[in-house]
Amino acid sequence: MTEERAGAVTVRVLRLGNGDAPLPAYASDGAAGADLRAALPAPLTLRPGERSLVPTGLAFEIPDGYEMQIRPRSGLAARHGMTVLNTPGTVDSDYRGEVKVLLVNLGAEAVTIGDGDRIAQAVVAPVVRARFLPAVELSDTTRGGGGFGSTGRR
Ligand SMILES: O=c1ccn([C@H]2C[C@H](O)[C@@H](COP(=O)(O)OP(=O)(O)OP(=O)(O)O)O2)c(=O)[nH]1
Ligand SMILES: [Mg+2]
């Protein structure tokens, strides 16, 4: 649907191989993620517990200061237990290789992915880069070193 919104960031996309892989597309006007499709020469079946790096047939030029996150589709996860193992996958702005989706079948049954199936969604997001400075001490806080459930269960 509409990708022509004001303020949209331009991301150049190279279609690899025979060049017919569809570009990522937003499925609704307010969608945060653009769906990514599998680019497969033949259907791929993942048995329970199996994972696979699924090609998209696409390479991206993400502007400096942004990243692209690869996230699962909730429908695939809810229906089949199929998710993105490294979610959110990070596509760096300087990466020029093919973007791939690391699918894993956490369900109890085999799932078959076909060419052109929507397998994940891409969220382009701004990135803040840090300047990491060595320190000899850190500021005091109430939390201090408490973590991992230190504030209680309920
Ligand atoms: O789901 C993903 C995650 C990453 N990548 C690509 C783009 C990213 O820029 C590159 C490196 O990803 P990451 O930094 O997460 O992996 P790494 O294991 O740290 O590899 P590297 O040493 O190449 O950084 O791999 C994908 O295509 N799909
Ligand atoms: Mg890395």
Side-chain angles (χ1 to χ4, degrees):
M1 286 201 171
T2 175
E3 283 134 73
E4 306 301 320
R5 352 187 103 200
V9 169
T10 298
V11 175
R12 301 177 67 223
V13 186
L14 183 65
R15 299 153 106 180
L16 306 168
N18 58 12
D20 67 356
L23 300 191
Y26 296 98
S28 71
D29 286 349
D35 290 326
L36 293 171
R37 294 176 183 271
L40 291 169
L44 171 72
T45 297
L46 293 185
R47 294 181 303 250
E50 207 176 1
R51 65 179 184 270
S52 182
L53 208 43
V54 181
T56 63
L58 303 173
F60 295 78
E61 197 175 286
I62 297 161
D64 192 30
Y66 292 84
E67 62 161 334
M68 192 167 72
Q69 299 173 5
I70 310 297
R71 302 192 194 168
R73 293 189 68 212
S74 58
L76 270 184
R79 278 198 303 275
H80 302 295
M82 183 84 94
T83 189
V84 175
L85 185 56
N86 59 325
T87 186
T90 305
V91 179
D92 302 290
S93 65
D94 56 355
Y95 179 69
R96 294 291 176 271
E98 180 174 16
V99 165
K100 297 181 179 174
V101 176
L102 186 50
L103 286 181
V104 62
N105 181 0
L106 301 181
E109 276 158 30
V111 181
T112 298
I113 303 292
D115 184 46
D117 285 359
R118 291 181 291 158
I119 51 171
Q121 54 188 321
V123 175
V124 174
V127 167
V128 175
R129 294 253 307 198
R131 182 184 315 108
F132 294 100
L133 292 179
V136 291
E137 58 178 358
L138 302 175
S139 63
D140 268 338
T141 69
T142 306
R143 174 180 285 277
F148 313 98
S150 69
T151 62
R153 287 178 65 127
R154 295 168 60 94

